[in-house]
Amino acid sequence: MAENTRFPITIFSAQNGQVSASGEDVGLAFSVTPAVVGQTEDVTMDLDLNQKSLVGRAPAAGQPPITSSHRVKTKIFVKNGESAAVVGVNSGEVVTQFNKDDPSPGSFAEGTEPLFSLNRSKQYAKKKSQFVIFVTPQIIESAHEGTEDLQRNFRMNVN
């Protein structure tokens, strides 16, 4: 299962003057491989999660954006019908910018530049995020039973 967003990139070649299009995918790719343990109600699951996030815009035109990637591969044991919190991906970002305010142009006589600016600024942003997936295995006896559950629970047409 994958849920991705593609950020387009236009690449200009200075050597031959050609323009080409490319892109950078960000999002979530998640795979689960379940197996029933013997004749029990236990289910073992091999999990592989890859989350790629956009961290910043491209440093220059024609370059890909700055991304971060978090990958988790693990194996869990869960009883049939019980839930488990599987993956927690934490990310944090702190940005501090100083003196971004422009002393409003036009406040001085025409053609006169200010000698100094008393305007000072500080912008501080802190962002934290956490991503957790809950997995609940359900053992079904036949494919027909599973199809009926899908139709009933999700109002889906399953052929």
Side-chain angles (χ1 to χ4, degrees):
M1 175 183 90
E3 180 67 33
N4 290 318
T5 301
R6 187 159 184 84
F7 284 89
I9 303 167
T10 303
I11 300 170
F12 177 74
S13 174
Q15 295 171 347
N16 59 12
Q18 300 225 346
V19 177
S20 62
S22 182
E24 184 77 22
D25 288 329
V26 295
L28 173 68
F30 185 72
S31 69
V32 179
T33 306
V36 178
V37 179
Q39 298 296 320
T40 66
E41 292 268 321
D42 294 336
V43 179
T44 178
M45 291 181 275
D46 293 321
L47 303 168
D48 187 1
L49 170 94
N50 191 9
Q51 181 184 18
K52 192 171 184 182
S53 304
L54 184 67
V55 176
R57 292 290 174 188
Q63 293 187 351
I66 301 168
T67 59
S68 69
S69 184
H70 301 281
R71 185 165 192 179
V72 177
K73 289 180 84 170
T74 189
K75 179 178 245 176
I76 63 169
F77 293 90
V78 183
K79 286 198 176 292
N80 180 37
E82 293 185 0
S83 296
V86 177
V87 178
V89 176
N90 294 314
S91 63
E93 180 181 349
V94 177
V95 177
T96 306
Q97 297 177 342
F98 295 98
N99 301 330
K100 287 291 182 182
D101 293 337
D102 186 20
S104 56
S107 60
F108 296 97
E110 188 174 316
T112 306
E113 294 290 323
L115 295 174
F116 55 87
S117 172
L118 297 177
N119 290 340
R120 296 288 180 245
S121 68
K122 179 180 178 182
Q123 183 180 28
Y124 180 77
K126 184 176 182 180
K127 180 173 72 170
K128 283 189 172 187
S129 63
Q130 184 176 25
F131 185 73
V132 178
I133 294 177
F134 292 91
V135 176
T136 306
Q138 181 181 5
I139 299 173
I140 57 173
E141 298 300 323
S142 68
H144 179 69
E145 178 186 331
T147 304
E148 287 177 352
D149 284 348
L150 281 175
Q151 289 174 338
R152 185 176 53 252
N153 293 337
F154 300 104
R155 297 184 187 118
M156 294 176 59
N157 265 345
V158 179
N159 294 329

